[in-house]
Amino acid sequence: SSSKLNLDSTEKQNLAKIWTFFRLGMGLTKNQAAGVCGNLYAESKFSPNNAQDSSYPGDHNSNYQFSVSDSVGYGLEQWTEKSVKTTLKNTASGMGLQVSDLNAQLATFRKEIESTRTPEWKKVLANSSYSEVSDTFLEQIEKPTYYNYAERRAYSKEIYSALSAF
């Protein structure tokens, strides 16, 4: 059950929207959507206003003042690079939304993989199991300091179990 993920009501609603975006909006298989979502859970717990810094505890950090150049990981994917945070800022602005808006962040995700991360995204989609998708997304897209493969696979499995009926 998704209870192991310990999501609050906002995060559950966000996951449902994110799942729909990947499945219907981007044509991912259930396994692929689960593998990507396992990574997003690890990064932000599906909270688009999650700021990654000891100054901002918890999943929802409405007190964080967004900056493109502060290197604080932000949003669904915990973007830190100035270029991506600028894309988020411009995308949100163009949509008339805040940078913390889920739809602005999903649009930024799509822009990123359709422009600067296309080869890496193709490698992700070359996989069919949620474990392989999770691993490849971690290696190709996230590239964190610490590669916690097993943890992200476990999240992907939970998400697959909870949402594969949809």
Side-chain angles (χ1 to χ4, degrees):
S1 75
S2 60
S3 61
K4 283 187 195 168
L5 296 173
N6 196 22
L7 301 176
D8 66 28
S9 60
T10 301
E11 291 160 352
K12 283 179 184 166
Q13 288 177 334
N14 289 348
L15 172 55
K17 290 174 186 172
I18 293 163
W19 182 262
T20 303
F21 170 79
F22 286 136
R23 295 279 293 125
L24 301 179
M26 298 193 67
L28 271 62
T29 66
K30 292 173 182 186
N31 276 287
Q32 290 169 336
V36 175
C37 284
N39 275 275
L40 297 184
Y41 175 87
E43 293 294 326
S44 65
K45 223 170 163 192
F46 310 121
S47 178
N49 67 345
N50 187 321
Q52 186 181 52
D53 189 299
S54 54
S55 318
Y56 306 103
D59 307 332
H60 309 290
N61 308 115
S62 53
N63 57 333
Y64 166 70
Q65 295 297 308
F66 182 84
S67 164
V68 297
S69 52
D70 62 6
S71 297
V72 171
Y74 185 71
L76 291 180
E77 244 191 288
Q78 293 294 284
W79 291 298
T80 52
E81 294 167 32
K82 187 175 184 179
S83 61
V84 190
K85 289 181 90 174
T86 301
T87 299
L88 171 58
K89 184 180 177 185
N90 294 341
T91 301
S93 176
M95 295 171 78
L97 300 170
Q98 300 294 319
V99 290
S100 60
D101 186 274
L102 180 63
N103 292 314
Q105 293 196 11
L106 292 174
T108 299
F109 181 97
R110 188 194 292 263
K111 273 189 183 176
E112 274 290 289
I113 62 165
E114 288 178 353
S115 57
T116 59
R117 296 180 176 180
T118 306
E120 294 88 344
W121 183 244
K122 284 182 176 156
K123 288 177 185 171
V124 171
L125 296 186
N127 296 287
S128 55
S129 75
Y130 58 73
S131 295
E132 293 168 323
V133 170
S134 178
D135 290 357
T136 309
F137 191 87
L138 177 59
E139 294 164 357
Q140 296 291 326
I141 306 287
E142 289 301 338
K143 302 175 187 165
T145 310
Y146 170 64
Y147 285 71
N148 52 343
Y149 291 101
E151 191 180 311
R152 291 175 189 237
R153 278 187 211 131
Y155 297 149
S156 299
K157 182 181 182 180
E158 284 295 317
I159 293 161
Y160 183 86
S161 300
L163 294 178
S164 59
F166 303 100

